[in-house]
Amino acid sequence: MTDVPAPKPEGAPQNHRTIDRVTRILEEVVYNPGMTFVELVRALDAPKSSVHGFVRGLLAAGWVYEEGHRFYLGPALYGLTLASGGFRAGMVTDADIASLYEAAGVTVFVGVQAGDHLIYVSEFGADRLAGFAARNNIRRTMLGTAGGKAILAALPAAQRDAYLRRRKPEEAALVDQFLVEYEDIRRTRIAQNTQHAGTRSAIATVVSGQSGEPVAEVTLVGPSTEVLPRREQLAEMLLEHVDSWRRRAPLSR
């Protein structure tokens, strides 16, 4: 005799096929950035027409974005994070970012990896040029930013190598430059970058989770005339603040 599943208590959560499939798409894209449509169909074991409709809707809403016929987590998630008024990357609070800005005297950005890009999710400071650029180009290439390079250097080798292999030919020079800088970034935990024809300089490090994985990056950016003479001091200050966040007991949520 076939066992009949017992009915769920009234008011208990119920699975919904559409929600389950949309959630599965997001999970697949999070854990396997760069998936193709065919790979998503295979992972969901669902009709192509259904998956196509779900993906189109997620693209339109900004939860997923497409590049080179591959799918990545979109900026909508990070927009919600910003709207909440209290960004958390492991143990980072708005007060932490403000304190770092007060100590460093240059603008502070916090960013996270989204697919093959870096997305800035928090900013504190008075550098109008850097702030305007970040708000008008929220999605940056990992290799073209100090924060992106800091995250890449901290990733497991397999993930880092897969990312580098996906780069287009026009990014070959950036790949080569990163490989030159890689050992120094690993040794010092500091990545650096210049912007706007060398007029702006940035240094960055990662915020690690409890198991040591990079969950975000923190960047200090300002005019090169201010940052470069203080580079060692700023790097020491940045690491001191970030390390204090990680040592602190996790915040209640």
Side-chain angles (χ1 to χ4, degrees):
M1 180 177 178
T2 304
D3 292 333
V4 178
K8 292 186 177 181
E10 185 177 354
Q14 302 286 333
N15 288 98
H16 189 286
R17 187 172 64 175
T18 297
I19 298 299
D20 289 345
R21 286 181 173 176
V22 170
T23 302
R24 182 68 184 278
I25 291 172
L26 291 173
E27 290 173 347
E28 290 292 336
V29 171
V30 167
Y31 292 107
N32 302 286
M35 291 190 76
T36 65
F37 178 74
V38 172
E39 290 169 336
L40 281 173
V41 170
R42 188 180 303 125
L44 269 68
D45 191 23
K48 289 183 179 180
S49 57
S50 295
V51 177
H52 183 267
F54 295 144
V55 169
R56 291 298 106 186
L58 290 168
L59 286 168
W63 290 102
V64 170
Y65 80 94
E66 183 179 7
E67 183 177 280
H69 303 295
R70 294 181 177 275
F71 298 100
Y72 304 90
L73 191 64
L77 172 63
Y78 307 106
L80 289 182
T81 302
L82 283 171
S84 71
F87 171 73
R88 300 290 184 273
M91 306 172 200
V92 186
T93 68
D94 293 336
D96 291 329
I97 300 169
S99 176
L100 176 56
Y101 166 71
E102 291 296 332
V106 294
T107 297
V108 182
F109 288 99
V110 179
V112 294
Q113 183 179 3
D116 279 5
H117 292 81
L118 180 75
I119 289 181
Y120 293 123
V121 296
S122 190
E123 169 198 349
F124 204 104
D127 190 322
R128 293 180 179 273
L129 180 58
F132 178 82
R135 287 187 292 272
N136 284 271
N137 184 18
I138 189 173
R139 191 186 304 280
R140 302 294 187 89
T141 62
M142 298 283 284
L143 291 171
T145 60
K149 290 188 286 188
I151 290 176
L152 284 175
L155 288 176
Q159 292 183 35
R160 181 173 55 253
D161 291 346
Y163 173 88
L164 295 176
R165 284 195 297 270
R166 291 196 298 271
R167 297 309 91 212
K168 298 176 181 178
E170 54 266 32
E171 295 180 270
L174 290 174
V175 172
D176 291 343
Q177 183 61 36
F178 171 74
L179 293 175
V180 169
E181 298 173 4
Y182 170 73
E183 291 296 339
D184 189 59
I185 297 173
R186 292 283 294 183
R187 178 179 59 83
T188 65
R189 298 168 53 204
I190 293 290
Q192 56 187 331
N193 198 52
T194 57
Q195 307 164 344
H196 302 290
T199 62
R200 288 292 187 278
S201 293
I203 63 171
T205 194
V206 295
V207 179
S208 298
Q210 290 300 301
S211 60
E213 77 285 3
V215 295
E217 62 80 25
V218 183
T219 298
L220 300 179
V221 60
S224 295
T225 53
E226 296 182 19
V227 173
L228 294 181
R230 302 174 56 211
R231 183 189 179 281
E232 297 302 324
Q233 176 194 11
L234 290 173
E236 183 178 348
M237 188 182 303
L238 177 59
L239 292 175
E240 180 182 348
H241 278 254
V242 170
D243 287 346
S244 72
W245 303 339
R246 190 168 190 272
R247 288 193 299 268
R248 184 173 55 202
L251 297 170
S252 60
R253 295 181 181 272

